[in-house]
Amino acid sequence: MRRLLLYVIAVLAAVIVAMPVLLMLANSLKSGLEVQQGSFLSWPTEPSFAAWRQAWRLLAGSFGASLMLAVPAVLLSALLAAINGFVLCKYRFKGERWVGLLLVLAFFLPIKVYLLPLAISMARLGLDRSLGLLIAIHVIYSLPLALFFRNHFLSFPDELLHAARLDGANFWRLLWRIVLPLSRPIFVVVLILQFTTIWNEYLFGLVFGPDGARPITAALAQLAAQTETGARAYPLEMAAALLAAAPTLLVYLLAGRHFTRGLVAGAVKG
């Protein structure tokens, strides 16, 4: 009975979580007239992919811009966080505790706090809005991710690193040959978190993204203003939202088990 109750609760939780997605999918297959005259809870009488084709036509450029933004920003920020986390964990230097404290504070600061200083700095430096600037902002904003790697590297035996140093390994060889290959679980966690965060981020893309290649979330927010009629195009908006969410959903489906393993990696020693 206890196991049956757990199964019932799990199924109910899955239905509750999946219901909004199923409703969005059902309404994206309807026509605008059917949505206005019918109900959001009904399945389309004549399913059509017209809204999906229109959504892709409007968002294709922003979809590509988000990929060009997310891939290098995710890789660079994860690599830089791994290097900083390794230094903070295994090397001692003056002021290391203050650096760790500042990273913790920066990790919990909301993104809105950074907008005005970044905008002022960009104006004083004479920088225009561009994809490269947006990548640099995301990489800098992601520096507190070093804390994830630092906590993971605490489980690394110092004897292993000391033996590698005796064999003549310098800092970079230690990093590339020993540290990173043994850090794949936490690296996958950071990659998934970063991809989800950067892909779904809105404010940085709206303020600092170029007009011709804004990220998918900024384009999605402006989609209602691009409709030809004054009425809300609900099928178009639902299809566009599902298209925008598809990459992050795909990442979790393909790497979900690795994400779970990475979260508990290093939690138990021995």
Side-chain angles (χ1 to χ4, degrees):
M1 290 298 296
R2 186 179 303 174
R3 178 170 296 184
L4 178 61
L5 180 61
L6 290 176
Y7 280 129
V8 171
I9 294 175
V11 171
L12 288 177
V15 170
I16 293 174
V17 172
M19 186 60 67
V21 179
L22 294 176
L23 290 177
M24 291 176 64
L25 178 61
N27 287 281
S28 68
L29 299 175
K30 298 177 182 178
S31 64
L33 183 61
E34 185 178 358
V35 172
Q36 295 174 9
Q37 295 179 351
S39 171
F40 270 93
L41 302 179
S42 63
W43 190 256
T45 55
E46 296 182 1
S48 172
F49 288 94
W52 285 79
R53 290 191 292 269
Q54 185 180 1
W56 177 251
R57 186 171 64 252
L58 294 173
L59 297 179
S62 297
F63 199 93
S66 287
L67 284 178
M68 294 175 62
L69 164 67
V71 172
V74 167
L75 295 178
L76 288 175
S77 59
L79 181 59
L80 188 60
I83 296 174
N84 291 332
F86 181 57
V87 172
L88 289 174
C89 180
K90 297 301 182 181
Y91 290 83
R92 297 294 175 261
F93 55 92
K94 187 176 181 180
E96 61 173 316
R97 292 188 176 182
W98 287 105
V99 173
L101 178 61
L102 289 175
L103 287 177
V104 172
L105 293 175
F107 186 81
F108 290 101
L109 283 177
I111 190 175
K112 296 179 181 179
V113 175
Y114 297 92
L115 284 178
L116 184 58
L118 283 173
I120 294 176
S121 301
M122 190 180 83
R124 291 184 176 179
L125 293 174
L127 300 175
D128 296 327
R129 295 186 298 178
S130 64
L131 201 60
L133 176 64
L134 199 54
I135 291 173
I137 289 175
H138 278 293
V139 172
I140 296 172
Y141 177 73
S142 303
L143 286 176
L145 289 174
L147 297 174
F148 282 87
F149 287 96
R150 179 188 179 277
N151 295 334
H152 175 73
F153 293 150
L154 289 174
S155 61
F156 273 34
D158 293 333
E159 293 79 7
L160 176 63
L161 302 178
H162 182 66
R165 291 192 184 97
L166 291 178
D167 290 336
N170 57 13
F171 173 82
W172 295 108
R173 180 164 293 182
L174 281 175
L175 187 70
W176 291 110
R177 296 294 181 88
I178 299 177
V179 175
L180 291 184
L182 294 177
S183 305
R184 291 179 182 176
I186 192 63
F187 215 90
V188 172
V189 171
V190 172
L191 288 177
I192 294 176
L193 288 176
Q194 271 297 88
F195 184 82
T196 305
T197 301
I198 294 176
W199 186 271
N200 294 326
E201 199 279 321
Y202 170 70
L203 287 177
F204 283 164
L206 180 65
V207 177
F208 302 106
D211 292 330
R214 288 191 173 181
I216 189 72
T217 49
L220 186 62
Q222 298 175 353
L223 187 64
Q226 297 179 3
T227 56
E228 297 177 358
T229 62
R232 293 290 299 272
Y234 289 109
L236 174 62
E237 294 179 11
M238 299 294 177
L242 290 174
L243 278 175
T248 53
L249 179 61
L250 182 62
V251 167
Y252 273 103
L253 289 177
L254 295 178
R257 59 176 182 174
H258 301 289
F259 183 79
T260 306
R261 292 175 183 175
L263 286 177
V264 299
V268 180
K269 296 183 179 180

